[in-house]
Protein backbone atom coordinates (compact mmCIF):
# COMPACT_ATOMS: atom_id res chain seq x y z
CA UNK A 1 0.00 0.00 0.00
CA UNK A 2 1.32 3.48 -0.89
CA UNK A 3 0.26 7.10 -0.26
CA UNK A 4 1.24 9.66 2.36
CA UNK A 5 -1.51 8.49 4.74
CA UNK A 6 -1.01 4.75 4.29
CA UNK A 7 -1.84 2.92 7.52
CA UNK A 8 -3.91 5.80 8.93
CA UNK A 9 -7.59 5.35 9.80
CA UNK A 10 -9.98 8.28 9.36
CA UNK A 11 -13.62 8.77 10.35
CA UNK A 12 -15.58 11.59 8.73
CA UNK A 13 -19.13 12.41 9.86
CA UNK A 14 -21.62 13.73 7.32
CA UNK A 15 -19.45 12.46 4.46
CA UNK A 16 -21.98 11.47 1.79
CA UNK A 17 -22.08 14.98 0.31
CA UNK A 18 -20.31 18.32 0.12
CA UNK A 19 -17.30 19.05 2.29
CA UNK A 20 -17.30 15.73 4.18
CA UNK A 21 -17.37 13.70 0.98
CA UNK A 22 -14.48 15.69 -0.52
CA UNK A 23 -12.42 15.17 2.64
CA UNK A 24 -13.19 11.43 2.68
CA UNK A 25 -12.27 11.09 -0.98
CA UNK A 26 -8.96 12.90 -0.64
CA UNK A 27 -8.00 11.01 2.51
CA UNK A 28 -8.72 7.69 0.71
CA UNK A 29 -6.75 8.85 -2.33
CA UNK A 30 -3.83 9.62 -0.01
CA UNK A 31 -3.91 6.03 1.24
CA UNK A 32 -6.01 6.28 4.43
CA UNK A 33 -8.67 3.77 5.40
CA UNK A 34 -11.80 5.90 5.72
CA UNK A 35 -15.18 5.39 7.32
CA UNK A 36 -17.95 7.44 5.70
CA UNK A 37 -21.20 8.20 7.46
CA UNK A 38 -24.48 10.13 7.47
CA UNK A 39 -28.13 9.55 8.42
CA UNK A 40 -29.09 8.15 5.02
CA UNK A 41 -28.20 4.47 4.71
CA UNK A 42 -28.41 4.24 0.91
CA UNK A 43 -26.09 7.27 0.49
CA UNK A 44 -23.63 5.81 2.98
CA UNK A 45 -23.47 2.48 1.11
CA UNK A 46 -23.10 4.20 -2.28
CA UNK A 47 -20.41 6.60 -1.07
CA UNK A 48 -18.40 3.80 0.54
CA UNK A 49 -18.62 1.80 -2.72
CA UNK A 50 -17.52 4.79 -4.80
CA UNK A 51 -14.58 5.66 -2.55
CA UNK A 52 -13.38 2.12 -1.88
CA UNK A 53 -10.45 1.64 -4.23
CA UNK A 54 -10.60 5.24 -5.54
CA UNK A 55 -7.00 5.57 -4.35
CA UNK A 56 -4.59 3.38 -2.46
CA UNK A 57 -6.78 3.48 0.68
CA UNK A 58 -10.06 1.77 1.49
CA UNK A 59 -13.56 2.90 2.45
CA UNK A 60 -16.29 1.48 4.65
CA UNK A 61 -19.71 2.92 5.45
CA UNK A 62 -21.51 3.11 8.83
CA UNK A 63 -24.80 5.06 9.03
CA UNK A 64 -25.05 7.37 12.05
CA UNK A 65 -27.22 10.27 13.15
CA UNK A 66 -24.80 12.27 15.30
CA UNK A 67 -27.67 13.48 17.48
CA UNK A 68 -27.84 9.98 18.97
CA UNK A 69 -25.05 9.35 21.53
CA UNK A 70 -25.40 5.57 21.32
CA UNK A 71 -25.18 5.65 17.50
CA UNK A 72 -22.02 7.79 17.82
CA UNK A 73 -20.47 5.22 20.13
CA UNK A 74 -21.32 2.44 17.64
CA UNK A 75 -19.85 4.51 14.79
CA UNK A 76 -16.52 4.86 16.56
CA UNK A 77 -16.43 1.25 17.79
CA UNK A 78 -17.40 0.04 14.29
CA UNK A 79 -14.52 2.02 12.80
CA UNK A 80 -12.00 0.58 15.23
CA UNK A 81 -13.34 -2.94 14.70
CA UNK A 82 -13.16 -2.65 10.93
CA UNK A 83 -9.77 -0.95 10.54
CA UNK A 84 -7.97 -1.64 13.84
CA UNK A 85 -7.75 1.88 15.31
CA UNK A 86 -8.51 5.54 14.74
CA UNK A 87 -6.05 8.33 13.84
CA UNK A 88 -8.08 11.12 12.24
CA UNK A 89 -11.60 12.28 13.18
CA UNK A 90 -13.36 14.91 11.09
CA UNK A 91 -16.48 16.28 12.80
CA UNK A 92 -18.20 17.67 9.74
CA UNK A 93 -21.91 16.71 9.94
CA UNK A 94 -23.95 19.87 10.12
CA UNK A 95 -26.85 21.84 8.74
CA UNK A 96 -28.31 25.33 8.75
CA UNK A 97 -31.92 26.46 9.11
CA UNK A 98 -32.08 30.21 8.92
CA UNK A 99 -34.76 32.33 10.62
CA UNK A 100 -34.95 35.27 13.00
CA UNK A 101 -35.59 34.81 16.74
CA UNK A 102 -39.22 35.83 16.06
CA UNK A 103 -39.65 33.07 13.49
CA UNK A 104 -37.30 30.28 14.53
CA UNK A 105 -39.18 27.04 14.96
CA UNK A 106 -38.11 25.25 18.18
CA UNK A 107 -37.64 22.02 16.20
CA UNK A 108 -35.24 23.80 13.84
CA UNK A 109 -33.36 25.23 16.82
CA UNK A 110 -33.13 21.76 18.32
CA UNK A 111 -31.89 19.96 15.20
CA UNK A 112 -29.13 22.54 14.64
CA UNK A 113 -27.81 22.54 18.19
CA UNK A 114 -28.04 18.76 18.51
CA UNK A 115 -26.31 18.15 15.16
CA UNK A 116 -23.73 20.93 14.94
CA UNK A 117 -22.73 21.01 18.62
CA UNK A 118 -23.92 17.97 20.61
CA UNK A 119 -22.94 15.64 17.75
CA UNK A 120 -19.34 16.81 17.89
CA UNK A 121 -19.29 16.13 21.63
CA UNK A 122 -20.76 12.62 21.32
CA UNK A 123 -18.47 11.45 18.51
CA UNK A 124 -15.35 13.07 20.02
CA UNK A 125 -16.03 11.64 23.46
CA UNK A 126 -16.22 8.13 22.01
CA UNK A 127 -13.18 8.68 19.77
CA UNK A 128 -10.69 10.28 22.16
CA UNK A 129 -9.52 7.10 23.96
CA UNK A 130 -8.68 5.54 20.59
CA UNK A 131 -6.95 8.68 19.28
CA UNK A 132 -4.85 8.83 22.44
CA UNK A 133 -4.06 5.11 22.34
CA UNK A 134 -2.82 5.38 18.74
CA UNK A 135 -0.50 8.34 19.56
CA UNK A 136 -0.46 11.36 17.25
CA UNK A 137 -4.20 11.55 16.56
CA UNK A 138 -5.92 14.57 15.04
CA UNK A 139 -9.46 15.98 15.32
CA UNK A 140 -10.72 18.47 12.72
CA UNK A 141 -13.94 20.28 13.59
CA UNK A 142 -15.67 21.96 10.68
CA UNK A 143 -16.87 25.27 12.09
CA UNK A 144 -17.76 28.34 10.07
CA UNK A 145 -17.06 32.05 9.81
CA UNK A 146 -20.60 32.16 11.27
CA UNK A 147 -18.85 31.06 14.48
CA UNK A 148 -17.31 34.54 14.66
CA UNK A 149 -19.65 36.79 12.67
CA UNK A 150 -23.32 36.87 13.72
CA UNK A 151 -26.03 37.84 11.23
CA UNK A 152 -29.78 38.35 11.33
CA UNK A 153 -31.46 34.99 10.72
CA UNK A 154 -28.50 33.12 12.21
CA UNK A 155 -29.84 32.76 15.76
CA UNK A 156 -29.49 28.96 15.85
CA UNK A 157 -26.68 28.51 13.34
CA UNK A 158 -24.57 31.25 14.97
CA UNK A 159 -25.24 29.75 18.40
CA UNK A 160 -24.10 26.32 17.23
CA UNK A 161 -20.95 27.53 15.48
CA UNK A 162 -19.94 30.08 18.18
CA UNK A 163 -20.38 27.23 20.66
CA UNK A 164 -18.31 24.91 18.51
CA UNK A 165 -15.48 27.45 18.40
CA UNK A 166 -15.28 27.59 22.21
CA UNK A 167 -15.66 23.84 22.52
CA UNK A 168 -12.90 23.19 19.98
CA UNK A 169 -10.45 25.51 21.73
CA UNK A 170 -11.14 23.76 25.05
CA UNK A 171 -10.72 20.34 23.42
CA UNK A 172 -7.42 21.47 21.91
CA UNK A 173 -6.14 22.45 25.36
CA UNK A 174 -7.45 19.21 26.94
CA UNK A 175 -5.81 16.98 24.35
CA UNK A 176 -2.53 18.49 23.32
CA UNK A 177 -0.63 16.97 26.25
CA UNK A 178 -2.12 13.64 25.23
CA UNK A 179 -0.53 13.91 21.78
CA UNK A 180 -3.82 14.61 19.98
CA UNK A 181 -4.03 17.77 17.86
CA UNK A 182 -7.37 19.57 17.49
CA UNK A 183 -8.06 22.08 14.72
CA UNK A 184 -11.05 24.27 13.92
CA UNK A 185 -11.60 25.01 10.23
CA UNK A 186 -13.87 28.02 9.64
CA UNK A 187 -15.01 28.28 6.02
CA UNK A 188 -17.05 31.05 4.43
CA UNK A 189 -19.52 30.13 1.64
CA UNK A 190 -18.86 26.72 0.11
CA UNK A 191 -20.74 25.46 -2.96
CA UNK A 192 -22.42 22.29 -1.56
CA UNK A 193 -25.90 20.93 -0.76
CA UNK A 194 -25.95 23.03 2.41
CA UNK A 195 -28.66 25.41 1.22
CA UNK A 196 -31.05 22.54 0.49
CA UNK A 197 -30.40 22.09 -3.21
CA UNK A 198 -27.63 20.80 -5.46
CA UNK A 199 -24.44 22.87 -5.68
CA UNK A 200 -25.20 26.14 -7.49
CA UNK A 201 -23.94 26.22 -11.12
CA UNK A 202 -23.65 30.01 -10.66
CA UNK A 203 -21.59 29.45 -7.49
CA UNK A 204 -18.17 29.57 -9.12
CA UNK A 205 -17.20 32.52 -6.91
CA UNK A 206 -17.73 30.39 -3.78
CA UNK A 207 -15.24 28.04 -2.21
CA UNK A 208 -15.51 24.48 -3.51
CA UNK A 209 -15.59 21.46 -1.18
CA UNK A 210 -12.13 20.50 -2.49
CA UNK A 211 -10.70 23.76 -1.11
CA UNK A 212 -11.61 22.56 2.39
CA UNK A 213 -10.28 19.05 1.87
CA UNK A 214 -7.03 20.59 0.67
CA UNK A 215 -6.74 22.44 4.00
CA UNK A 216 -7.13 19.13 5.88
CA UNK A 217 -4.56 17.34 3.72
CA UNK A 218 -2.07 20.23 3.99
CA UNK A 219 -2.42 20.41 7.78
CA UNK A 220 -1.84 16.67 8.10
CA UNK A 221 1.58 17.22 6.50
CA UNK A 222 2.75 19.47 9.37
CA UNK A 223 5.44 18.01 11.67
CA UNK A 224 4.37 16.66 15.08
CA UNK A 225 5.73 19.72 16.89
CA UNK A 226 3.31 22.11 15.11
CA UNK A 227 -0.35 22.57 15.96
CA UNK A 228 -2.22 24.86 13.55
CA UNK A 229 -5.29 25.21 15.75
CA UNK A 230 -7.56 27.44 13.67
CA UNK A 231 -7.93 28.15 9.96
CA UNK A 232 -10.25 30.75 8.39
CA UNK A 233 -10.88 30.39 4.67
CA UNK A 234 -13.18 32.52 2.52
CA UNK A 235 -13.89 33.21 -1.16
CA UNK A 236 -11.30 35.61 -2.54
CA UNK A 237 -13.76 37.49 -4.75
CA UNK A 238 -17.34 37.52 -3.39
CA UNK A 239 -19.81 39.32 -5.68
CA UNK A 240 -20.52 42.96 -4.76
CA UNK A 241 -23.92 43.19 -3.06
N1 LIG B 1 -21.61 25.12 2.70
C1 LIG B 1 -21.20 26.19 3.36
O1 LIG B 1 -21.32 27.35 2.90
C2 LIG B 1 -20.54 26.01 4.71
C3 LIG B 1 -19.80 27.09 5.23
C4 LIG B 1 -19.18 26.97 6.47
C5 LIG B 1 -19.31 25.79 7.17
N2 LIG B 1 -20.02 24.75 6.66
C6 LIG B 1 -20.13 23.53 7.48
O2 LIG B 1 -19.61 22.44 6.75
C7 LIG B 1 -20.21 21.23 7.21
C8 LIG B 1 -20.66 20.40 6.00
O3 LIG B 1 -21.62 21.12 5.28
P1 LIG B 1 -21.79 21.01 3.68
O4 LIG B 1 -21.78 22.39 3.18
O5 LIG B 1 -20.85 20.02 3.12
O6 LIG B 1 -23.32 20.51 3.63
P2 LIG B 1 -24.04 19.34 2.81
O7 LIG B 1 -23.56 19.30 1.39
O8 LIG B 1 -25.49 19.57 3.05
O9 LIG B 1 -23.59 17.99 3.55
C9 LIG B 1 -23.94 17.74 4.90
C10 LIG B 1 -23.65 16.30 5.27
O10 LIG B 1 -23.98 16.12 6.66
C11 LIG B 1 -24.91 15.01 6.80
N3 LIG B 1 -25.75 15.22 7.99
C12 LIG B 1 -26.68 16.18 8.22
N4 LIG B 1 -27.24 16.02 9.43
C13 LIG B 1 -26.66 14.92 10.00
C14 LIG B 1 -26.81 14.24 11.24
N5 LIG B 1 -27.70 14.63 12.17
N6 LIG B 1 -26.03 13.16 11.47
C15 LIG B 1 -25.14 12.73 10.55
N7 LIG B 1 -24.96 13.33 9.36
C16 LIG B 1 -25.70 14.41 9.09
C17 LIG B 1 -25.64 14.99 5.46
O11 LIG B 1 -26.23 13.72 5.15
P3 LIG B 1 -27.74 13.29 5.62
O12 LIG B 1 -28.59 14.52 5.47
O13 LIG B 1 -28.09 12.18 4.70
O14 LIG B 1 -27.58 12.84 7.05
C18 LIG B 1 -24.50 15.29 4.49
O15 LIG B 1 -23.72 14.13 4.26
C19 LIG B 1 -21.35 21.65 8.16
O16 LIG B 1 -20.90 21.49 9.49
C20 LIG B 1 -21.55 23.13 7.82
O17 LIG B 1 -22.07 23.84 8.91
C21 LIG B 1 -20.64 24.84 5.45
Amino acid sequence: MSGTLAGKVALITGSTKGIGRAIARELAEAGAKVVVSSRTEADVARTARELDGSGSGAAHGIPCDVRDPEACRRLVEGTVERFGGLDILVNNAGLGRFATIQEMDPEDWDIQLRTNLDGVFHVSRAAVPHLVAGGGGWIFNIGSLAGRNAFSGGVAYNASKFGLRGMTEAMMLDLRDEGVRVTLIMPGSVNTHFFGSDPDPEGGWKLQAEDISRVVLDLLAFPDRALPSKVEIRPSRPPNE
Side-chain angles (χ1 to χ4, degrees):
M1 178 174 291
S2 61
T4 51
L5 296 178
K8 298 288 183 194
V9 178
L11 165 58
I12 307 98
T13 66
S15 40
T16 54
K17 292 182 198 160
I19 295 170
R21 189 183 194 286
I23 295 172
R25 197 186 61 238
E26 288 210 31
L27 289 172
E29 282 174 5
K33 297 173 201 150
V34 304
V35 167
V36 293
S37 186
S38 84
R39 292 170 297 182
T40 312
E41 269 191 66
D43 288 355
V44 172
R46 182 179 38 76
T47 307
R49 248 190 341 265
E50 286 167 3
L51 299 193
D52 196 33
S54 70
S56 50
H60 176 62
I62 304 177
C64 171
D65 183 334
V66 298
R67 291 173 294 173
D68 175 351
E70 183 50 28
C72 294
R73 196 193 58 74
R74 286 197 303 268
L75 173 65
V76 169
E77 295 310 319
T79 302
V80 171
E81 226 164 79
R82 175 72 180 213
F83 288 136
L86 179 62
D87 304 290
I88 301 162
L89 167 63
V90 184
N91 285 305
N92 166 78
L95 44 76
R97 304 267 170 89
F98 300 100
T100 59
I101 181 66
Q102 299 95 315
E103 303 203 329
M104 174 58 62
D105 181 309
E107 271 184 29
D108 283 342
W109 167 270
D110 193 61
I111 191 175
Q112 284 178 91
L113 273 290
R114 287 180 59 208
T115 305
N116 301 0
L117 194 56
D118 296 8
V120 177
F121 170 73
H122 299 315
V123 179
S124 301
R125 188 167 177 276
V128 161
H130 300 288
L131 293 165
V132 170
W138 206 319
I139 299 176
F140 297 92
N141 288 344
I142 308 300
S144 171
L145 289 177
R148 190 161 76 71
N149 308 321
F151 50 88
S152 173
V155 64
Y157 192 65
N158 287 140
S160 71
K161 294 297 187 180
F162 271 69
L164 181 61
R165 180 155 64 94
M167 179 179 163
T168 305
E169 286 180 18
M171 285 168 60
M172 182 269 287
L173 296 170
D174 287 343
L175 293 174
R176 71 175 167 173
D177 288 339
E178 305 278 349
V180 176
R181 287 179 275 187
V182 181
T183 298
L184 179 66
I185 300 178
M186 301 169 70
S189 291
V190 189
N191 198 12
T192 65
H193 299 81
F194 184 77
F195 291 100
S197 53
D198 287 341
D200 176 6
E202 306 288 305
W205 62 271
K206 293 185 179 181
L207 295 164
Q208 303 300 311
E210 291 68 29
D211 299 328
I212 313 305
S213 51
R214 170 180 282 211
V215 171
V216 171
L217 270 287
D218 286 354
L219 292 181
L220 284 167
F222 271 76
D224 282 353
R225 65 175 175 270
L227 168 45
S229 47
K230 195 185 300 168
V231 175
E232 293 188 1
I233 175 168
R234 67 194 78 223
S236 1
R237 289 187 199 85
N240 292 323
E241 294 292 324

